[in-house]
Amino acid sequence: MKINTLFIAIFFSVVGFFSLTSLQAQEAKTLFVNMPDSLSPLLTKVNRADCVDFLESKMKAQVENRFGKKSEMTELGKDFIRMQMSPQATWQMKVLALNDTTNVICTVATACAPACDSSIRFYTTDWKPLIESPFITLPVMADFLNTPDSAGVYVFDEARRSADMLLMKADFNKENTELTVTFTTPDYMSKETAEKLKPFLRRPIVYRWKNGAFTR
């Protein structure tokens, strides 16, 4: 009886150890540090590890990147990281549950020049790229615009023709799995034209991660 009890105790201790190790390996900070350099052109592995160490030590997590400029980690959570790569560029990552045993990584890279535009990518937890379409259907221009009644059609059409490039800025909510996509095309238009388009703009689109995909 004592031997069986000891065996059971050891068994569950080992299971618990490997479960804890597996969970830790899925945390954002571990995945971030182990990201391939090919996906992190500005930051070395040492840069990435330093950012984590600094922020966990309640220090300013700023490092000198490969180009001799400053990059800073501004948010670090169990499943979320945000980097200010440069004054004009940010990078975010979120660890999302695909099912009970598998996670995926979603990254958002945003450049502002001056209008902001984001690129969304998905990866396995060992940073193999995944096709985007199973996980999200990105908005099109019409999703951000309200069709006017007949009285406003002329003004709308004039402003809409000037919005010839779809620009969107995406941001994760660090507290949950929401992803907010904001229409930024007006930011590159002339102020006068943007003002004409303003009355027809819809609210930013909010996606929520559910059953392994982002849904509105």
Side-chain angles (χ1 to χ4, degrees):
M1 181 69 70
K2 289 182 180 179
I3 293 176
N4 288 341
T5 302
L6 179 60
F7 173 79
I8 291 170
I10 292 173
F11 173 78
F12 281 108
S13 295
V14 171
V15 170
F17 171 78
F18 282 109
S19 297
L20 178 61
T21 302
S22 177
L23 288 172
Q24 289 174 338
Q26 299 283 305
E27 287 188 10
K29 64 180 181 181
T30 305
L31 297 170
F32 176 67
V33 172
N34 292 324
M35 182 194 310
D37 286 348
S38 60
L39 297 177
S40 180
L42 275 183
L43 302 176
T44 66
K45 184 170 185 176
V46 172
N47 286 155
R48 299 192 296 272
D50 283 346
C51 283
V52 171
D53 290 343
F54 290 155
L55 211 54
E56 288 190 326
S57 300
K58 310 300 182 184
M59 298 167 61
K60 186 178 180 69
Q62 191 176 79
V63 295
E64 183 176 300
N65 60 44
R66 281 192 174 101
F67 293 165
K69 305 295 184 181
K70 299 297 183 183
S71 295
E72 182 182 356
M73 181 180 284
T74 56
E75 298 286 350
L76 173 62
K78 187 175 181 180
D79 64 356
F80 176 69
I81 284 174
R82 183 185 184 278
M83 292 289 308
Q84 188 71 44
M85 292 294 193
S86 73
Q88 296 80 30
T90 61
W91 183 89
Q92 303 168 66
M93 69 170 281
K94 191 83 171 180
V95 183
L96 300 162
L98 190 59
N99 53 48
D100 290 341
T101 59
T102 307
N103 292 332
V104 294
I105 301 167
C106 181
T107 68
V108 176
T110 302
C112 303
C116 296
D117 192 39
S118 296
S119 174
I120 300 173
R121 298 285 183 269
F122 292 87
Y123 302 90
T124 63
T125 50
D126 57 354
W127 291 102
K128 299 294 190 298
L130 295 168
I131 297 171
E132 169 192 300
S133 55
F135 303 110
I136 192 169
T137 300
L138 291 173
V140 297
M141 183 83 74
D143 293 327
F144 293 106
L145 301 172
N146 286 310
T147 305
D149 56 29
S150 57
V153 167
Y154 176 77
V155 175
F156 173 79
D157 285 346
E158 184 181 18
R160 172 65 182 80
R161 281 194 297 272
S162 298
D164 57 354
M165 184 187 304
L166 177 58
L167 300 175
M168 301 178 289
K169 183 176 183 288
D171 288 290
F172 284 115
N173 185 325
K174 66 178 181 179
E175 303 296 340
N176 52 45
T177 60
E178 289 182 354
L179 178 70
T180 300
V181 180
T182 304
F183 185 52
T184 56
T185 295
D187 295 341
Y188 99 97
M189 300 166 66
S190 70
K191 186 175 180 179
E192 181 181 356
T193 306
E195 283 298 317
K196 290 180 180 178
L197 191 63
K198 190 174 180 179
F200 308 108
L201 298 181
R202 291 179 176 172
R203 288 176 168 271
I205 295 170
V206 178
Y207 290 85
R208 292 173 178 83
W209 184 259
K210 186 177 180 181
N211 297 327
F214 279 113
T215 57
R216 298 185 193 180

